[in-house]
Amino acid sequence: MITAQQLRPCGPHAILVQLDDLAAVLALAATLRERPTPDLADVVDVVPGGETVLVTIAGTDLAGLRSALLRLNPVLPATNETAPEIEIPVHYDGPDLAVVAALAGLTVAEIVTAHTTIPWRAGFGGFAPGFAYLVDGDERLRLPRRSSPRTRVPAGSVALGGGYCAVYPRSSPGGWHLIGHTDLAVWDTDRDPAALIVSGATVRFRDVNAP
Amino acid sequence: MTQRALEVLAVGPLALIQDLGRPGFAHLGVSASGAADRSAFRLGARLLAQNLTHAAIEVLFGGLQVRAGVDVTIALTGAPAPATIDGRAVGHAAPLVLRADQTLRLGTPSAGLRTYVSVRGGIDVPATLGSRSTDTLSALGPKPLRPGDRLPVGPAPPDFPNVDLAPVRSPTSAGVVVTAHWGPRADWLADSDDLARGRWTVSSRSDRIGVRLDGVVLARDARRRGDLPSEGVVRGAIQLPPSGQPVIFLADHPVTGGYPVVAVVDDDGIDRLAQAVPGQRVALRLAAYPGKI
């Protein structure tokens, strides 16, 4: 249940809900995504963050939104129910593989095994279209960012940083460790769905060179 | 050329296709984007008796020149740029006929920043995720206009314009005072009175992503160190980076951010900030919401 203390004002069209952890974020975001009650019909965007969910409406009936949120019972769907599962084929040829192995105290082969064995879950996005911060996964792969970012990270790069994993949807500056790349387009405006990885989805990586 | 199109002959600092954007995709990391001054865009559509799905050209600081392929009806709203059709001066906030082979030229606005050139039928380029707006942060949507571009114009809508002139006020050249409501992280300010007392000017580093304010540095509460976990941000959000110089987000704002949002400007204020030029003074009026959040 959400309490009034968790609701923070965010302008004439939004309320920011403060939560305890990412599990609570995913539960609320998944619940709201369904627009489960008529009093949520005016909701335009549900934006999960690290510990928050921003809910925006088209109109200005914030009192109505507040009541609707306080009446909700957010439930996280079990991962084998409605959350989509996405497999991403990866060429493990990233320039930072050796650095990552050293940081984690593993061999490069063990890094690849760790990355592909335990599935990840998409937490939240927002950095760029199609970008999702992936959580869970093997805890030995939760690494800090690079001390200096790159000005250009190629599209499709698979990276670790800030405790997360992610696939860069297009070329951009980036401060995470690059362990490989995928030829799969995680963002494609001509495709439905445009974004391959959405909040709540399970993501498994596969080594294209594995026997 | 007898195409139902506008040919771009010249562009000033920037000209973009805009409509009311693509709300509803924030969970994919896509900002709504759309016209920076939404009320000016809406007025253009109303003057031409068409609905809000018809895209217009958002002209930054004048300079646009376009030639019509066939007779079209247009309207200019937002910043009043001195405008001519084949050298003859034409008015602002009024339906205008631009006949085939005539050229519309916009000068530099004497007040305000963004002029909207709306055309009956709308600029009919392909839509991306349901909108023809150019998002300058993510590069979604049509590219910025360049000389030589041919912009298709859609079919005329069923209703006819029946207003000769909308007597709207020009954007001001004096100080801009906007109303803001306390935001989710108002408690990150060392002194909440600083926001209403602050006096700033619009930085030349402002753009469609946000208006950056130069001037009073807003101190953070000493107990608030580091950044927040990334959280969703809204258009109009007043964000406080470590430098203490506030940023007020406009149409192409990022979807999430890790700096605290101390207040949020209301819709009318956002439209007026979208017309504020570098060097113009800005002050905030803080209002509390009726009722409780």
Side-chain angles (χ1 to χ4, degrees), chain B residues 193-230:
Chain B
D193 287 342
D194 285 349
L195 211 50
R197 280 199 294 248
R199 296 292 175 263
W200 296 277
T201 55
V202 174
S203 163
S204 56
R205 287 172 302 119
S206 303
D207 54 22
R208 281 180 47 90
I209 294 168
V211 167
R212 291 161 203 283
L213 297 178
D214 288 334
V216 168
V217 166
L218 291 175
R220 283 192 189 181
D221 185 295
R223 292 162 294 182
R224 300 289 188 186
R225 301 197 174 289
D227 297 330
L228 288 162
S230 274

Short mmCIF file of all heavy atoms in Angstrom, two decimals, chain B residues 193-230:
data_model
loop_
_atom_site.label_atom_id
_atom_site.label_comp_id
_atom_site.label_asym_id
_atom_site.label_seq_id
_atom_site.Cartn_x
_atom_site.Cartn_y
_atom_site.Cartn_z
N ASP B 193 13.31 30.41 0.79
CA ASP B 193 13.03 31.79 0.35
C ASP B 193 13.94 32.21 -0.79
O ASP B 193 13.64 33.15 -1.52
CB ASP B 193 13.21 32.77 1.51
CG ASP B 193 12.08 32.67 2.52
OD1 ASP B 193 11.01 32.12 2.16
OD2 ASP B 193 12.26 33.13 3.65
N ASP B 194 15.09 31.54 -0.92
CA ASP B 194 16.04 31.91 -1.98
C ASP B 194 15.40 31.83 -3.36
O ASP B 194 15.79 32.56 -4.27
CB ASP B 194 17.25 30.96 -1.96
CG ASP B 194 18.20 31.25 -0.83
OD1 ASP B 194 18.05 32.32 -0.19
OD2 ASP B 194 19.10 30.43 -0.58
N LEU B 195 14.43 30.94 -3.52
CA LEU B 195 13.85 30.73 -4.84
C LEU B 195 13.02 31.94 -5.26
O LEU B 195 13.12 32.42 -6.38
CB LEU B 195 13.00 29.47 -4.80
CG LEU B 195 12.89 28.65 -6.08
CD1 LEU B 195 14.24 28.34 -6.69
CD2 LEU B 195 12.14 27.36 -5.80
N ALA B 196 12.23 32.46 -4.36
CA ALA B 196 11.39 33.62 -4.69
C ALA B 196 12.21 34.90 -4.72
O ALA B 196 11.87 35.85 -5.42
CB ALA B 196 10.25 33.73 -3.70
N ARG B 197 13.29 34.93 -3.96
CA ARG B 197 14.11 36.15 -3.90
C ARG B 197 15.08 36.19 -5.07
O ARG B 197 15.61 37.26 -5.39
CB ARG B 197 14.94 36.17 -2.62
CG ARG B 197 14.18 36.61 -1.39
CD ARG B 197 15.17 37.04 -0.32
NE ARG B 197 15.96 35.91 0.14
CZ ARG B 197 15.86 35.40 1.37
NH1 ARG B 197 15.01 35.89 2.23
NH2 ARG B 197 16.62 34.38 1.71
N GLY B 198 15.37 35.06 -5.69
CA GLY B 198 16.43 34.97 -6.68
C GLY B 198 16.16 35.83 -7.90
O GLY B 198 15.02 35.98 -8.34
N ARG B 199 17.21 36.42 -8.45
CA ARG B 199 17.12 37.17 -9.70
C ARG B 199 18.15 36.58 -10.64
O ARG B 199 19.31 36.44 -10.30
CB ARG B 199 17.42 38.66 -9.47
CG ARG B 199 16.43 39.35 -8.57
CD ARG B 199 15.07 39.45 -9.21
NE ARG B 199 14.07 40.02 -8.31
CZ ARG B 199 13.22 39.29 -7.58
NH1 ARG B 199 13.23 37.97 -7.64
NH2 ARG B 199 12.35 39.89 -6.79
N TRP B 200 17.69 36.22 -11.83
CA TRP B 200 18.58 35.58 -12.80
C TRP B 200 18.40 36.20 -14.17
O TRP B 200 17.45 36.95 -14.41
CB TRP B 200 18.25 34.09 -12.91
CG TRP B 200 18.47 33.31 -11.67
CD1 TRP B 200 19.66 32.79 -11.23
CD2 TRP B 200 17.49 32.93 -10.72
NE1 TRP B 200 19.48 32.12 -10.05
CE2 TRP B 200 18.14 32.18 -9.71
CE3 TRP B 200 16.12 33.14 -10.59
CZ2 TRP B 200 17.49 31.65 -8.61
CZ3 TRP B 200 15.46 32.63 -9.50
CH2 TRP B 200 16.14 31.88 -8.52
N THR B 201 19.33 35.87 -15.08
CA THR B 201 19.13 36.17 -16.50
C THR B 201 19.27 34.87 -17.28
O THR B 201 19.93 33.93 -16.83
CB THR B 201 20.16 37.19 -17.03
OG1 THR B 201 21.48 36.69 -16.76
CG2 THR B 201 20.00 38.55 -16.37
N VAL B 202 18.62 34.85 -18.43
CA VAL B 202 18.67 33.67 -19.28
C VAL B 202 20.07 33.54 -19.87
O VAL B 202 20.59 34.47 -20.48
CB VAL B 202 17.62 33.78 -20.41
CG1 VAL B 202 17.76 32.61 -21.39
CG2 VAL B 202 16.22 33.85 -19.83
N SER B 203 20.66 32.38 -19.69
CA SER B 203 22.00 32.13 -20.24
C SER B 203 21.93 31.88 -21.74
O SER B 203 20.95 31.32 -22.23
CB SER B 203 22.61 30.91 -19.54
OG SER B 203 23.69 30.40 -20.28
N SER B 204 22.98 32.24 -22.45
CA SER B 204 23.02 31.95 -23.89
C SER B 204 23.19 30.45 -24.14
O SER B 204 23.07 29.98 -25.27
CB SER B 204 24.17 32.72 -24.55
OG SER B 204 25.37 32.40 -23.90
N ARG B 205 23.45 29.68 -23.10
CA ARG B 205 23.55 28.22 -23.26
C ARG B 205 22.18 27.56 -23.16
O ARG B 205 22.07 26.34 -23.09
CB ARG B 205 24.50 27.63 -22.22
CG ARG B 205 25.98 27.94 -22.50
CD ARG B 205 26.89 27.50 -21.36
NE ARG B 205 26.52 28.13 -20.11
CZ ARG B 205 26.14 27.49 -19.02
NH1 ARG B 205 26.08 26.17 -19.00
NH2 ARG B 205 25.80 28.15 -17.93
N SER B 206 21.11 28.34 -23.13
CA SER B 206 19.77 27.78 -23.08
C SER B 206 19.38 27.25 -24.45
O SER B 206 19.89 27.71 -25.47
CB SER B 206 18.77 28.86 -22.65
OG SER B 206 19.15 29.40 -21.40
N ASP B 207 18.49 26.27 -24.46
CA ASP B 207 18.02 25.70 -25.72
C ASP B 207 16.69 24.99 -25.46
O ASP B 207 16.07 25.23 -24.41
CB ASP B 207 19.08 24.72 -26.28
CG ASP B 207 19.50 23.64 -25.29
OD1 ASP B 207 18.74 23.35 -24.35
OD2 ASP B 207 20.60 23.09 -25.44
N ARG B 208 16.25 24.15 -26.37
CA ARG B 208 14.97 23.47 -26.20
C ARG B 208 14.98 22.47 -25.06
O ARG B 208 13.93 22.01 -24.62
CB ARG B 208 14.57 22.74 -27.50
CG ARG B 208 13.98 23.66 -28.56
CD ARG B 208 13.61 22.88 -29.81
NE ARG B 208 12.88 21.67 -29.49
CZ ARG B 208 11.55 21.60 -29.40
NH1 ARG B 208 10.82 22.68 -29.62
NH2 ARG B 208 10.97 20.46 -29.10
N ILE B 209 16.15 22.08 -24.60
CA ILE B 209 16.23 21.17 -23.47
C ILE B 209 15.88 21.92 -22.20
O ILE B 209 15.13 21.42 -21.36
CB ILE B 209 17.63 20.55 -23.37
CG1 ILE B 209 17.89 19.66 -24.59
CG2 ILE B 209 17.79 19.76 -22.07
CD1 ILE B 209 19.32 19.23 -24.76
N GLY B 210 16.41 23.12 -22.06
CA GLY B 210 16.08 23.89 -20.88
C GLY B 210 16.64 25.30 -20.92
O GLY B 210 17.56 25.60 -21.68
N VAL B 211 16.03 26.14 -20.10
CA VAL B 211 16.52 27.50 -19.90
C VAL B 211 17.49 27.43 -18.73
O VAL B 211 17.13 26.98 -17.64
CB VAL B 211 15.36 28.45 -19.57
CG1 VAL B 211 15.88 29.77 -19.05
CG2 VAL B 211 14.50 28.66 -20.80
N ARG B 212 18.73 27.83 -18.97
CA ARG B 212 19.73 27.85 -17.90
C ARG B 212 19.77 29.27 -17.37
O ARG B 212 19.75 30.23 -18.15
CB ARG B 212 21.09 27.43 -18.44
CG ARG B 212 21.10 25.96 -18.80
CD ARG B 212 22.21 25.55 -19.74
NE ARG B 212 21.85 24.34 -20.43
CZ ARG B 212 21.87 23.11 -19.89
NH1 ARG B 212 22.30 22.95 -18.65
NH2 ARG B 212 21.48 22.07 -20.59
N LEU B 213 19.79 29.39 -16.06
CA LEU B 213 19.73 30.71 -15.45
C LEU B 213 21.08 31.09 -14.86
O LEU B 213 21.66 30.33 -14.08
CB LEU B 213 18.66 30.71 -14.35
CG LEU B 213 17.22 30.44 -14.82
CD1 LEU B 213 16.27 30.43 -13.63
CD2 LEU B 213 16.78 31.48 -15.84
N ASP B 214 21.55 32.27 -15.24
CA ASP B 214 22.78 32.82 -14.67
C ASP B 214 22.39 33.80 -13.58
O ASP B 214 21.48 34.60 -13.76
CB ASP B 214 23.57 33.61 -15.73
CG ASP B 214 24.21 32.71 -16.77
OD1 ASP B 214 24.48 31.54 -16.46
OD2 ASP B 214 24.45 33.20 -17.89
N GLY B 215 23.11 33.76 -12.48
CA GLY B 215 22.82 34.74 -11.42
C GLY B 215 22.99 34.11 -10.07
O GLY B 215 23.96 33.39 -9.82
N VAL B 216 22.01 34.36 -9.22
CA VAL B 216 22.09 33.89 -7.84
C VAL B 216 22.33 32.38 -7.78
O VAL B 216 21.63 31.61 -8.43
CB VAL B 216 20.77 34.24 -7.11
CG1 VAL B 216 20.66 33.54 -5.78
CG2 VAL B 216 20.65 35.74 -6.99
N VAL B 217 23.33 31.99 -7.00
CA VAL B 217 23.58 30.57 -6.79
C VAL B 217 22.67 30.07 -5.68
O VAL B 217 22.60 30.68 -4.61
CB VAL B 217 25.06 30.35 -6.41
CG1 VAL B 217 25.29 28.95 -5.86
CG2 VAL B 217 25.96 30.61 -7.61
N LEU B 218 21.96 29.00 -5.91
CA LEU B 218 21.06 28.45 -4.89
C LEU B 218 21.81 27.39 -4.10
O LEU B 218 22.24 26.38 -4.66
CB LEU B 218 19.83 27.83 -5.55
CG LEU B 218 18.87 28.83 -6.20
CD1 LEU B 218 17.77 28.08 -6.92
CD2 LEU B 218 18.29 29.77 -5.17
N ALA B 219 21.96 27.63 -2.81
CA ALA B 219 22.71 26.68 -1.99
C ALA B 219 21.85 25.49 -1.63
O ALA B 219 20.64 25.62 -1.39
CB ALA B 219 23.20 27.39 -0.73
N ARG B 220 22.50 24.34 -1.55
CA ARG B 220 21.80 23.12 -1.11
C ARG B 220 21.83 23.04 0.40
O ARG B 220 22.78 23.50 1.05
CB ARG B 220 22.50 21.89 -1.65
CG ARG B 220 22.23 21.62 -3.09
CD ARG B 220 22.73 20.24 -3.45
NE ARG B 220 22.67 20.00 -4.87
CZ ARG B 220 23.02 18.87 -5.45
NH1 ARG B 220 23.47 17.87 -4.71
NH2 ARG B 220 22.94 18.74 -6.75
N ASP B 221 20.85 22.43 0.95
CA ASP B 221 20.84 22.10 2.37
C ASP B 221 22.09 21.27 2.69
O ASP B 221 22.42 20.33 1.97
CB ASP B 221 19.58 21.28 2.68
CG ASP B 221 19.42 21.00 4.16
OD1 ASP B 221 20.27 20.27 4.72
OD2 ASP B 221 18.46 21.50 4.75
N ALA B 222 22.80 21.65 3.75
CA ALA B 222 24.09 21.02 4.06
C ALA B 222 23.97 19.51 4.30
O ALA B 222 24.92 18.76 4.12
CB ALA B 222 24.71 21.69 5.27
N ARG B 223 22.79 19.05 4.70
CA ARG B 223 22.62 17.62 4.97
C ARG B 223 22.45 16.81 3.70
O ARG B 223 22.51 15.59 3.72
CB ARG B 223 21.40 17.39 5.88
CG ARG B 223 21.60 17.95 7.28
CD ARG B 223 20.26 18.09 7.99
NE ARG B 223 19.43 19.09 7.36
CZ ARG B 223 18.23 19.44 7.81
NH1 ARG B 223 17.74 18.86 8.87
NH2 ARG B 223 17.52 20.36 7.17
N ARG B 224 22.21 17.50 2.56
CA ARG B 224 21.96 16.78 1.31
C ARG B 224 23.25 16.70 0.51
O ARG B 224 23.68 17.68 -0.07
CB ARG B 224 20.92 17.54 0.48
CG ARG B 224 19.60 17.68 1.20
CD ARG B 224 18.90 16.38 1.26
NE ARG B 224 17.54 16.51 1.79
CZ ARG B 224 16.76 15.49 2.04
NH1 ARG B 224 17.18 14.26 1.84
NH2 ARG B 224 15.55 15.68 2.49
N ARG B 225 23.86 15.56 0.54
CA ARG B 225 25.11 15.41 -0.18
C ARG B 225 24.92 14.47 -1.36
O ARG B 225 24.02 13.66 -1.34
CB ARG B 225 26.19 14.84 0.75
CG ARG B 225 26.42 15.72 1.95
CD ARG B 225 27.74 15.41 2.66
NE ARG B 225 27.97 16.38 3.71
CZ ARG B 225 28.29 17.66 3.49
NH1 ARG B 225 28.41 18.08 2.27
NH2 ARG B 225 28.45 18.50 4.47
N GLY B 226 25.77 14.58 -2.33
CA GLY B 226 25.74 13.67 -3.46
C GLY B 226 24.51 13.90 -4.32
O GLY B 226 23.92 14.97 -4.30
N ASP B 227 24.15 12.91 -5.09
CA ASP B 227 23.01 13.04 -5.99
C ASP B 227 21.90 12.09 -5.54
O ASP B 227 22.09 11.26 -4.69
CB ASP B 227 23.41 12.71 -7.43
CG ASP B 227 24.44 13.68 -7.97
OD1 ASP B 227 24.42 14.85 -7.54
OD2 ASP B 227 25.25 13.26 -8.81
N LEU B 228 20.79 12.25 -6.18
CA LEU B 228 19.66 11.35 -5.97
C LEU B 228 19.79 10.17 -6.91
O LEU B 228 20.36 10.30 -7.99
CB LEU B 228 18.38 12.07 -6.36
CG LEU B 228 17.86 13.17 -5.47
CD1 LEU B 228 16.89 14.01 -6.27
CD2 LEU B 228 17.20 12.57 -4.26
N PRO B 229 19.17 9.03 -6.56
CA PRO B 229 19.00 8.01 -7.60
C PRO B 229 18.17 8.65 -8.72
O PRO B 229 17.30 9.46 -8.44
CB PRO B 229 18.20 6.91 -6.90
CG PRO B 229 18.32 7.18 -5.45
CD PRO B 229 18.56 8.64 -5.28
N SER B 230 18.45 8.29 -9.96
CA SER B 230 17.72 8.87 -11.10
C SER B 230 16.22 8.81 -10.87
O SER B 230 15.70 7.77 -10.47
CB SER B 230 18.02 8.08 -12.37
OG SER B 230 19.17 8.55 -12.97
#
